[in-house]
Amino acid sequence: MRLVPTANLITGLGIEGDKHAVATSDRQVLLADQEALDEVGVAAGTIKENLTVEGLHVMGLPVGTRVHLGESAVVEITEVCEPCFRMDEIRMGLKAELVGRRGMVARVVNGGSIAVGDGITLEEAEPLAS
């Protein structure tokens, strides 16, 4: 992982140049919030998240929420990202510390260029019909 000032999100694929960008995946982008990283004492990028945001409680976003990034990029939250054994490779015990705070995975529904400091707006998920 490396920190970059800009990135290009590609519709239905993920982040341009990311070796994990896969068209068939609902896990194209991992979002984490800086506040959660601060709670466990790790720097941005350490837990292998693609996007680190500030002032947004990522774990509180319901599945289906669309997150608008910058001028045109949109990702849709698909599921909670459960911490895996790789987190303990970073620091023993980190997997347990990240339960309930690692972040949310999303798919890219509208591509576009994003940059550090871009605005974020939310489009709430439509309630399921009963």
Side-chain angles (χ1 to χ4, degrees), residues 16-33:
E16 183 175 29
D18 182 359
K19 69 180 183 177
H20 299 292
V22 177
T24 57
S25 178
D26 282 341
R27 300 174 59 93
Q28 295 171 352
V29 177
L30 171 57
L31 289 90
D33 58 81

Side-chain angles (χ1 to χ4, degrees), residues 1 3 15 40 51 53 63 65 72 74 79 81 83 95-96 115 130:
M1 300 296 294
L3 300 178
I15 298 176
V40 297
L51 301 174
V53 300
V63 168
T65 299
S72 62
V74 181
E79 63 186 284
C81 184
K95 176 183 174 187
S130 45

